[in-house]
Amino acid sequence: MSSSALFSGFGIYLPWLFRWFTPIFGGARLPELSPWFGIFFVFFFGLQMLNWLKPIMWTPADTNWMSNLRGMSAAKKT
């Protein structure tokens, strides 16, 4: 749905070039909804970030792994 809002927005940006493009992707009404799609996208992305917050938090195990990174890369190859 948001891709059709993007493509129908071409007809608003350059109407002399993309006037045939807008009716294929929803006419003139759909680009008016495009800001709402952006707002909903940002809102749901924020919810997803809250969902990911615990798994992406830095832990002492991450610090330990980073401090041993140089030793792991210089380790003897078998």
Side-chain angles (χ1 to χ4, degrees):
M1 185 73 161
S2 62
S3 63
S4 61
L6 169 77
F7 290 128
S8 63
F10 286 142
I12 293 172
Y13 181 65
L14 291 171
W16 60 273
L17 183 61
F18 293 111
R19 79 179 118 220
W20 60 273
F21 214 61
T22 304
I24 294 172
F25 291 102
R29 174 75 177 120
L30 194 57
E32 295 173 5
L33 297 175
S34 185
W36 290 105
F37 290 125
I39 290 169
F40 288 132
F41 178 80
V42 169
F43 175 73
F44 285 109
F45 181 76
L47 290 178
Q48 188 61 36
M49 285 303 296
L50 290 175
N51 189 31
W52 287 334
L53 192 58
K54 187 173 188 224
I56 64 173
M57 292 298 291
W58 195 267
T59 64
D62 297 321
T63 304
N64 187 27
W65 186 85
M66 287 296 285
S67 64
N68 293 327
L69 189 60
R70 184 166 295 203
M72 287 188 289
S73 64
K76 223 180 192 185
K77 294 184 181 182
T78 59

